[in-house]
Amino acid sequence: MRRSESPFIEWPDRRRLLVGLGATVALATLGIGPGAVEAEAARQGFPAFVASFRDKARARGVSDAVYDRVMSRIVPDTSVYARDSAQPEFREQLWQYLNRRISDWRIRTGVAAYKANARLLKKLEADFGVAPDILLGLWGMETAFGELVTDPDHMKPVFNSLAALAWGEPRRQAYWQTELINALLIVQRGWGTPDEMLGSWAGAMGHTQWMPEVWLNLGTDYDGDGRISPYEIGDALAGTSRYLLKRGGYQRDLPWGFEVTMAGLPAGLADERTSKPVETWAKQGIKPAGGGRFAYPKAVARLWAPVGPEGPAFLLTKNFYAVKSYNPSMNYALAVCHLGDRVLGEKPFVTPFPGGERPLTLPEVQEVQKRLTAAGFDTGGTDGRVGNLTMKAVRDFQQKAGLAPADGYAGLDVLEALRKGR
């Protein structure tokens, strides 16, 4: 079985704090290093923490029976304090970020997921108003359409992680303690057991990676089986739809945005702050990238040119920012929206990225992985899915072969060098 690779979550967010990042990066964001966290934890042994924490859990309604059942079994996963060795950092240009996440492998996997769940997605759209492309994009970005949901090499028992953070991470201790209690309440409601509740190192679970707070407050028993579970596709996508509506302000029957051209226009127009109706932008010279006229001329949108006026530019509606509420990275939101479009048959962006290149095809990615593996670089598998293990293998090969920059990006130059046996 293939060892799992990271689902490429880019930045911390309000929904699930610091999910998917290496702990050293995460703790640096909080202004504290792993050594300091371990020292803080050592001040109070874990058994003493369990004993003292009971009153806080009891005050939120956790029964002693549930508390004993769960907390007596926990072995705190202190690896959450220092995960840097398992999660290398990579710097990517936007075109690389998109190429890696909107790959042939992910599009093909998404098409299969859409075909298997088309009726469900249509029903979700009727009930909540969230379009299938958005749900598919989020599902694909978060867990590669469910590929990682129960992968034992990627998803670990969340109680061990949350308990370690609630016990020993001082700067955000109140947050982690609240989430630990939320997880206990989920068990008390009968929605999950400690053995079932597997997730990322920071406690995000299921197909669309809910933190316990989201599970408790926005979860929906969409399949009617008597419990709410992010591990069930219907419940997961329904809960995510509720999140987009209630916390992102998603609007029914509105696209996320449009690719546009702004050739010859002042770069300052694309400030990503000024909101105007699409028809007003058109009067200022903004045109659809594919030609023709704009749909939704009355929709209010902002203009964004992520790499400048010579690259792709976009008019972004309220629904783009609803996606961004899931993870406050513009690049993440663009990848979600574009991935969903590509799964449903849309073409790549019309305007190329300056200095960019086409993504490798699925057979080419598999060839890179096979050649790297044969050369002694561990890619974690050869199925065409590029994650952190493959990126680390690429970076190590680039350094050995003298390819600059050694950025871990599996591009055409890496493929050519491997074919030449460098």
Side-chain angles (χ1 to χ4, degrees):
M1 178 180 291
R2 184 185 195 281
R3 297 208 314 280
S4 74
E5 301 196 51
S6 165
F8 319 121
I9 296 171
E10 185 188 15
W11 296 110
D13 61 44
R14 292 172 293 177
R15 174 180 53 92
R16 54 192 205 307
L17 182 69
L18 306 173
V19 175
L21 295 173
T24 292
V25 179
L27 295 170
T29 302
L30 299 173
I32 189 166
V37 176
E38 290 169 347
E40 177 68 19
R43 294 176 189 172
Q44 180 188 32
F46 187 69
F49 164 76
V50 172
S52 64
F53 192 61
R54 180 187 297 272
D55 286 343
K56 290 184 179 180
R58 188 183 286 153
R60 285 277 311 277
V62 177
S63 70
D64 286 342
V66 167
Y67 192 85
D68 290 337
R69 171 189 168 197
V70 177
M71 299 299 288
S72 65
R73 300 173 52 197
I74 289 176
V75 177
D77 183 2
T78 56
S79 71
V80 298
Y81 303 146
R83 292 283 299 277
D84 58 316
S85 61
Q87 298 284 345
E89 292 183 71
F90 299 94
R91 296 184 181 276
E92 299 175 297
Q93 298 184 58
L94 178 54
W95 64 267
Q96 293 174 317
Y97 180 92
L98 294 172
N99 280 358
R100 190 159 66 88
R101 290 155 180 82
I102 308 172
S103 62
D104 269 8
W105 178 88
R106 201 168 293 234
I107 292 170
R108 293 186 189 194
T109 304
V111 169
Y114 174 62
K115 289 180 179 178
N117 295 280
R119 182 177 297 178
L120 169 64
L121 288 161
K122 184 176 181 180
K123 185 175 186 296
L124 286 163
E125 184 175 20
D127 289 344
F128 296 99
V130 180
D133 59 316
I134 298 300
L135 292 179
L136 286 164
L138 283 168
W139 188 16
M141 282 287 286
E142 292 296 331
T143 61
F145 303 100
E147 289 285 317
L148 301 178
V149 169
T150 57
D151 187 322
D153 288 323
H154 182 74
M155 300 299 180
K156 306 296 183 182
V158 299
F159 277 105
N160 293 349
S161 299
L162 290 175
L165 291 162
W167 164 44
E169 199 284 277
R171 286 288 298 276
R172 294 286 297 182
Q173 194 167 50
Y175 171 83
W176 295 118
Q177 290 185 359
T178 297
E179 286 292 37
L180 176 57
I181 293 173
N182 289 337
L184 289 166
L185 288 171
I186 288 167
V187 174
Q188 183 158 301
R189 293 184 185 186
W191 295 348
T193 69
D195 291 337
E196 293 170 335
M197 293 168 67
L198 304 177
S200 72
W201 70 266
M205 296 168 278
H207 286 271
T208 48
Q209 292 290 275
W210 297 352
M211 286 299 287
E213 183 275 330
V214 174
W215 189 342
L216 278 178
N217 294 314
L218 295 173
T220 301
D221 180 16
Y222 199 66
D223 59 10
D225 67 353
R227 69 174 195 164
I228 297 170
S229 174
Y231 303 100
E232 297 166 356
I233 295 173
D235 287 6
L237 297 181
T240 296
S241 296
R242 289 191 69 200
Y243 184 98
L244 293 171
L245 288 168
K246 292 183 176 294
R247 299 190 181 174
Y250 187 93
Q251 183 176 327
R252 183 187 290 266
D253 297 326
L254 181 69
W256 64 264
F258 317 92
E259 186 189 354
V260 300
T261 59
M262 51 181 300
L265 298 175
L269 280 179
D271 63 7
E272 203 266 306
R273 293 189 301 273
T274 304
S275 297
K276 302 176 185 178
V278 169
E279 61 187 2
T280 302
W281 287 112
K283 291 176 182 177
Q284 291 185 265
I286 303 300
K287 300 177 182 178
R293 296 182 178 181
F294 283 115
Y296 303 88
K298 303 295 183 182
V300 175
R302 298 176 183 177
L303 181 61
W304 181 45
V307 296
E310 301 306 315
F314 307 92
L315 285 178
L316 305 174
T317 74
K318 182 180 183 65
N319 283 351
F320 180 90
Y321 294 94
V323 172
K324 187 171 177 282
S325 75
Y326 215 74
N327 181 313
S329 160
M330 293 291 286
N331 292 356
Y332 172 92
L334 183 63
V336 165
C337 294
H338 193 43
L339 174 60
D341 286 346
R342 294 297 307 280
V343 168
L344 294 183
E346 295 291 329
K347 300 296 184 183
F349 294 134
V350 173
T351 304
F353 284 89
E357 65 181 43
R358 70 167 178 83
L360 297 183
T361 65
L362 178 60
E364 286 172 336
V365 173
Q366 290 174 316
E367 181 181 349
V368 165
Q369 291 174 323
K370 290 174 182 177
R371 289 181 181 274
L372 285 170
T373 300
F377 299 96
D378 182 13
T379 64
T382 59
D383 63 1
R385 184 174 80 192
V386 178
N388 279 341
L389 288 174
T390 294
M391 291 183 72
K392 184 179 184 301
V394 169
R395 185 177 65 185
D396 292 345
F397 170 74
Q398 289 170 322
Q399 292 172 340
K400 182 178 179 180
L403 297 177
D407 56 5
Y409 178 72
L412 295 168
D413 60 336
V414 170
L415 178 59
E416 182 180 359
L418 284 165
R419 285 174 173 172
K420 291 180 178 179
R422 289 174 59 180

